[in-house]
Amino acid sequence: MHLMMEFMAPHRLWGLVIIPLIGVLYVVLSGRTSKQRPMSSRLKLVVPKDAAWKRHGAVLLALMSLASLIIAWAIPQDYVSQPRDRATVVVSIDVSWSMEAEDVEPNRLEAAQQSAKEFVDSLPPRFNVALVSFAGTADLVVPPTVDRGVVHRAIDALLLAPSTAVGEGVYRSLDALKLVPPDPNDPEAVAPAAIVLLSDGATNIGRSSAGAAETAKDQGVPVYTIAFGTDNGYVVQDGQRQRVAVDHWELNEVAKLSGGKKYAAESAGQLNEVYDAIRESVGSERVPAEVTDRYAGLAIIFAVLAALGVISLGARWP
């Protein structure tokens, strides 16, 4: 996060020294004038009591306008969001048996499939998308491609399997990024990448998800995790209900360790909202941009307010 503003001509900021000097001069001259010309009792009845604060306010606004102009003169830069033209997103979906729970209609997996397809369609056309599924093991279902139809068909074909290996899902997603085709316009460029991992359970087999998250961090790939489902979810095995509550803790750790962010969704509608938030994050980047017009606009606003204050004072005198 960039907390300090940058300037293309920082040496011009010396002009800000003028502001306190003018302020001190105004205070000194105001004190002298009031001592030399004490207001008569009759004049006090004519001049409204609020004239002083309006006068001081007009001067303050004028100084703020001058300060804004000096900052604009120094050509400030700030970080703004800009849409990415190219990136790679790996969609990693948990297909463990717990995803058959019907606490989300019609069930967790089908709701996840529908939302994942809508998310893929919402990404910019030049974004490569890969699909990974994981349960006891992880499989690269579709390598990075811009063909959304291939990804759609693969999402629809996902099948449930036993166990949950979140760590393997992350590792396989990182492997998928090695297959990203080069940009025909710039073969040497390396596009940014992110992993979007949806799961409802905790790891019970395979490599550590924390280790996988740290590897993702080392490779500069954030993992956005989605905890999908409710605490009341269950599946029926051997004629008995087995509770499959969502495990938020592990998914939060994966996101935190990788530099991503953890989300939670308890319905298909909430899942769509989560995907919208992730799309905004993945689909844009923070880049430096000149914001001179921002401070020039503030200078105009302060100048107009100062002028209105002066006009208000002048209008009270015949």
Side-chain angles (χ1 to χ4, degrees):
M1 181 181 292
H2 296 266
L3 299 178
M4 296 296 291
M5 183 176 296
E6 299 176 1
F7 295 88
M8 296 178 65
H11 60 281
R12 295 178 180 175
L13 291 173
W14 65 264
L16 291 173
V17 176
I18 299 173
I19 307 300
L21 294 178
I22 295 177
V24 171
L25 180 62
Y26 171 73
V27 172
V28 171
L29 292 178
S30 295
R32 242 183 231 178
T33 303
S34 59
K35 288 180 182 179
Q36 293 176 355
R37 299 181 180 178
M39 188 178 292
S40 66
S41 56
R42 288 185 179 181
L43 192 57
K44 288 180 181 179
L45 296 175
V46 177
V47 178
K49 294 180 180 180
D50 62 354
W53 73 262
K54 285 189 177 181
R55 184 175 69 254
H56 299 328
V59 173
L60 178 61
L61 288 168
L63 292 177
M64 292 172 67
S65 176
L66 181 58
S68 298
L69 281 175
I70 293 172
I71 292 174
W73 184 42
I75 315 177
Q77 283 187 323
D78 201 356
Y79 284 80
V80 298
S81 292
Q82 175 179 292
R84 282 196 175 105
D85 178 57
R86 191 169 182 267
T88 301
V89 178
V90 182
V91 179
S92 187
I93 300 178
D94 183 352
V95 292
S96 60
W97 281 338
S98 58
M99 290 290 287
E100 196 174 20
E102 297 180 354
D103 54 334
V104 179
E105 295 182 355
N107 61 48
R108 292 178 182 178
L109 180 59
E110 289 187 34
Q113 288 172 310
Q114 181 59 38
S115 293
K117 289 188 292 184
E118 294 175 5
F119 170 66
V120 167
D121 284 343
S122 70
L123 294 172
R126 278 171 49 84
F127 273 37
N128 283 291
V129 180
L131 177 65
V132 168
S133 67
F134 65 93
T137 59
D139 297 309
L140 175 57
V141 183
V142 178
T145 178
V146 294
D147 189 338
R148 303 295 190 254
V150 171
V151 181
H152 269 224
R153 290 189 290 273
I155 291 174
D156 285 333
L158 293 177
L159 299 174
L160 296 171
S163 302
T164 303
V166 174
E168 297 300 330
V170 175
Y171 280 119
R172 184 63 69 189
S173 298
L174 293 174
D175 291 340
L177 294 175
K178 300 174 183 177
L179 304 176
V180 176
D183 184 353
N185 299 324
D186 189 0
E188 300 300 321
V190 179
I195 297 170
V196 179
L197 184 145
L198 181 146
S199 180
D200 65 350
T203 294
N204 53 30
I205 194 171
R207 288 173 286 181
S208 162
S209 60
E214 291 172 351
T215 301
K217 176 70 172 180
D218 293 339
Q219 296 183 18
V221 181
V223 181
Y224 297 86
T225 60
I226 306 173
F228 188 45
T230 71
D231 292 336
N232 299 319
Y234 67 90
V235 294
V236 178
Q237 290 185 348
D238 300 326
Q240 295 184 341
R241 287 188 178 187
Q242 181 176 339
R243 188 166 174 264
V244 285
V246 177
D247 187 289
H248 293 272
W249 185 86
E250 182 177 3
L251 295 177
N252 183 66
E253 286 298 297
V254 169
K256 183 173 66 174
L257 291 173
S258 69
K261 186 175 181 180
K262 182 256 184 184
Y263 296 87
E266 296 186 351
S267 67
Q270 288 182 4
L271 183 57
N272 287 332
E273 293 175 2
V274 167
Y275 273 129
D276 286 342
I278 293 175
R279 185 189 69 249
E280 290 294 323
S281 180
V282 174
S284 62
E285 58 184 335
R286 300 284 288 174
V287 297
E290 183 182 330
V291 290
T292 301
D293 56 342
R294 180 187 302 174
Y295 290 91
L298 283 175
I300 293 174
I301 292 173
F302 290 141
V304 169
L305 292 175
L308 290 175
V310 172
I311 292 172
S312 175
L313 286 171
R316 293 179 179 274
W317 295 88

